[in-house]
Amino acid sequence: MWLRTRCDLTFAITVPTPFILMLRPRSGAQQWIAREEYRLTPSVPVCEFTDNYGNLCQRLVAPPGTFAVHTIAEVMTADCVDQAPGSPFVEIQNLPDSVLSYLLPSRYCESENFNEMAASITAGQLLGYDQVAAIENWLRSSIRYAPGSSDIPVSAIEVNSRQWGVCRDLSHLGIALCRSLSIPARLVVGFLYGLTPMDLHAWFEAYVAGRWYTFDATQAVLKGGYVAIGYGRDAADVAVYNQFGPPVIPIEQCVEVQIIDKEGY
């Protein structure tokens, strides 16, 4: 399907404020970026770089006053999410070097604390994809999805303790459970067509059978329409913006995802 994504952020800046933005999706195996628009008001010098996880990031200093970021992308993405029941676990010695960091505990995914719990949830499952699917189903039935209930990232331990969270929180717990089984897992942030209420979204991917697969416990049924912006170990790596100095939050935010006619592509 062809989608047009839009994210507009407006800030009230009091002093010159350094930002690192992560708002440009990249083309890859699951999506193709056909057109982009990226506008800053007022216009300021920008330096773009690729971070350790392959994400496109933009460095700038926002001047005092109203500062706005406007982004649009037209993206071809999958009509449905690939699923592969029975796909095998990849032994650690056979994993690509680039995947190894996603095995380790991280700031919000304390996987060393979930060994027994993960083994219980996945008991009787084939090693690999079926274990992750069991984790996803457990999250869906056991952790209450509460969109808009929190702006602050919390760790997998806290999510498991309180039994509710936003999309990012459920993903943190899913990632921690996967890693405790020696299955590489990473957080993804981006857009999802048809998300209610509409906002930026987070889900997780697990590496089995030689590739990454999508899992999302916030949705009753996995469907197409995902557009990834950033990948990382957890929320610390995939913030769509980081700012430094006196804290600022958006005074306006608009997120839209629409289907568009593919004629001409």
Side-chain angles (χ1 to χ4, degrees):
M1 70 176 69
W2 282 94
L3 299 174
R4 179 181 290 114
T5 65
R6 172 187 172 191
C7 181
D8 295 345
L9 302 172
T10 303
F11 302 90
I13 307 297
T14 57
V15 298
T17 300
F19 274 83
I20 299 176
L21 304 174
M22 188 189 295
L23 285 167
R24 284 191 64 199
R26 62 179 182 178
S27 295
Q30 303 300 315
Q31 62 187 34
W32 176 258
I33 314 305
R35 189 181 76 85
E36 291 183 83
E37 181 179 331
Y38 199 126
R39 188 170 68 249
L40 305 174
T41 307
S43 180
V44 296
V46 180
C47 177
E48 185 164 78
F49 67 97
T50 303
D51 70 9
N52 293 337
Y53 306 99
N55 303 312
L56 299 174
C57 303
Q58 303 81 43
R59 296 179 60 180
L60 59 89
V61 177
T66 300
F67 180 71
V69 182
H70 169 79
T71 67
I72 289 177
E74 294 183 358
V75 186
M76 182 177 66
T77 188
D79 290 336
C80 57
V81 172
D82 288 347
Q83 301 182 58
S87 291
F89 173 84
V90 180
E91 294 184 345
I92 305 303
Q93 62 269 30
N94 296 325
L95 288 169
D97 293 345
S98 60
V99 171
L100 294 177
S101 65
Y102 297 111
L103 287 168
L104 304 177
S106 58
R107 177 176 175 181
Y108 294 112
C109 301
E110 313 98 325
S111 51
E112 71 276 17
N113 294 286
F114 289 95
N115 294 350
E116 292 184 6
M117 181 175 168
S120 174
I121 291 170
T122 62
Q125 302 294 330
L126 292 174
L127 301 186
Y129 186 96
D130 291 2
Q131 290 178 299
V132 187
I135 289 169
E136 180 188 47
N137 288 332
W138 179 86
L139 289 167
R140 195 175 282 127
S141 62
S142 303
I143 307 298
R144 180 170 60 89
Y145 173 45
S149 59
S150 174
D151 292 327
I152 301 173
V154 297
S155 74
I157 288 177
E158 185 173 349
V159 177
N160 186 51
S161 174
R162 71 186 191 182
Q163 298 284 289
W164 61 269
V166 298
C167 53
R168 173 193 59 231
D169 304 331
L170 273 68
S171 295
H172 281 159
L173 182 50
I175 289 166
L177 289 165
C178 288
R179 291 179 187 168
S180 73
L181 298 171
S182 296
I183 297 175
R186 65 185 182 183
L187 185 66
V188 190
V189 167
F191 303 91
L192 174 58
Y193 174 70
L195 183 67
T196 303
M198 179 53 66
D199 202 346
L200 292 168
H201 191 51
W203 59 96
F204 73 98
E205 294 183 344
Y207 191 89
V208 294
R211 56 160 289 187
W212 292 102
Y213 285 93
T214 294
F215 296 89
D216 187 352
T218 71
Q219 303 300 300
V221 178
L222 282 182
K223 54 188 178 181
Y226 288 87
V227 176
I229 296 175
Y231 303 85
R233 295 166 300 175
D234 57 31
D237 297 329
V238 295
V240 295
Y241 74 89
N242 283 298
Q243 58 87 203
F244 304 88
V248 297
I249 60 173
I251 56 175
E252 293 181 9
Q253 178 172 319
C254 177
V255 177
E256 295 180 354
V257 184
Q258 301 173 327
I259 285 185
I260 57 175
D261 192 334
K262 67 178 181 179
E263 289 295 328
Y265 292 99

